[in-house]
Amino acid sequence: MDIQAIKNRFGIIGNSPALNYALQVAVQVANTDLTVLINGESGVGKEVFSQIIHALSARKHNPFIAVNCGAIPEGTIDSELFGHEKGSFTGAVDNRKGYFETVNGGTIFLDEIGEMPLGTQARLLRVLETGEYIRVGSSKVQKTDVRVIAATNRDLLERTQQGKFREDLYYRLNTVPIRVPALRDRKEDIPLLFRKFSVDFSEKYKTPSIQLDDEARNALVNYPWRGNVRELKNIAEQISVLSTDKLVTGHDLKRFLPEHLEVNRLPMLAAPQPHTGGDFASERDILYKLFFDMKKDVTELKKMFFDILQNPSIAHNHDFHPADTHVLHSYPATATDIAPQAPTIGNTQPIIIQDNKIDHHEEVEETLSIADKEKELIVKALKKHKGKRKDAALDLGISERTLYRKLKEYNIAE
Ligand SMILES: Nc1ncnc2c1ncn2[C@@H]1O[C@H](COP(=O)(O)OP(=O)(O)O)[C@@H](O)[C@H]1O
Ligand SMILES: [Mg+2]
């Protein structure tokens, strides 16, 4: 089949040799029942590839389902994939069919397969080799005919060496490997993709379609795109919506590329610049600044609290008015109300309470890493809710799945 026709049909943009090769393999293998392992960084188009393979296969009229193995808790993934019998575990109030049953005749896309627990890997290997599976809590062997397409953004071979992925399963899945290249390895596709996305978004948002000057095009092509096509699409959307000029210059563009927003430069960016007239990028800078201001205040409050604990008499001393000695930041109702300030954010300043009773002060050296803070909060929330993920997630304002993902990401043992 003609590769260009496939691209048109599925909206695939790009003409780099590595992308064309990956597509060609996908097309060739689509109509077989072979297991496919798609490799590539996040956002390169692995899921799109799995959909193409299904749509070009004899199974196209049967169901397709994408399952993210990294987002399903270890305790429920077997039951989601293979089903369970009533009463087989707490919470199993009914019999439940698994995806290998409901998708019979179709295709299952197992995303982030490297995250699949070892026990589930054993079940998967069996179903791949014999078409047989058993519901959790049952002893009845059932048959299914499902084509498996798996994807990973990790080095699965390395996972096997670490004992985290079954070697036999790895070779079974890897019958046909497809490598979808990272965007930075097919730079020639970047302008094509950007043009397509910006045209689509300007139609969607009814804004004039944007053009890049040479410098902007250069910056775009040389940007590392760690989030690959997904990230490029997001940036194209932001620019399409927020750019005030039809012609985007290199300078304009840089404001949209997160790479250029280094944390220690944020206060500078938050200062008014002639060309940042209340647009999205500067709003974001302001939000960052607000965030760091708040963080600094929390640090200061903690320090005060600590000091009071050390010396309770201060709390009863009428002369002690923290507000007199410390002007805590006040947070305006809208971000744009913030007056530009001298850049002081990021330096943790020692607190000197001007009450002569206290002369000791120590530097509160705090990590400014958002990841560290996040981890700390998660641990706190879990502790507060005695390990109940559901309540902890609610408290944190994230979904249980996100919490689960983050537990793995930060390697938090419960
Ligand atoms: N070559 C491409 N042309 C156009 N859009 C693409 C291309 N590759 C990926 N996309 C888009 O990028 C986004 C991310 O793709 P996805 O398949 O979800 O990536 P992955 O599964 O590798 O994380 C989707 O919106 C997809 O439609
Ligand atoms: Mg994906």
Side-chain angles (χ1 to χ4, degrees), residues 338-354:
I338 302 176
Q341 287 182 342
T344 56
I345 296 96
N347 315 330
T348 37
Q349 295 166 329
I351 294 176
I352 302 161
I353 295 177
Q354 286 164 355

Side-chain angles (χ1 to χ4, degrees), residues 10-14 19 40-49 109 111 151 186 193 196-197 229-230 233:
F10 293 98
I12 295 294
I13 306 295
L19 180 74
E41 291 179 11
S42 175
V44 288
K46 298 187 294 297
E47 189 157 346
V48 185
F49 265 73
F109 174 55
D111 203 359
R186 42 170 158 140
L193 281 159
K196 169 73 165 68
F197 292 146
V229 183
R230 184 178 291 114
K233 200 170 177 176

Side-chain angles (χ1 to χ4, degrees), residues 29 36 98 122 132 138 158 192 256 288 322 358 394 406:
V29 82
V36 179
E132 290 174 352
S138 165
E158 196 183 298
L192 299 176
F256 290 96
Y288 274 125
I358 297 180
L394 198 69
K406 289 192 180 295

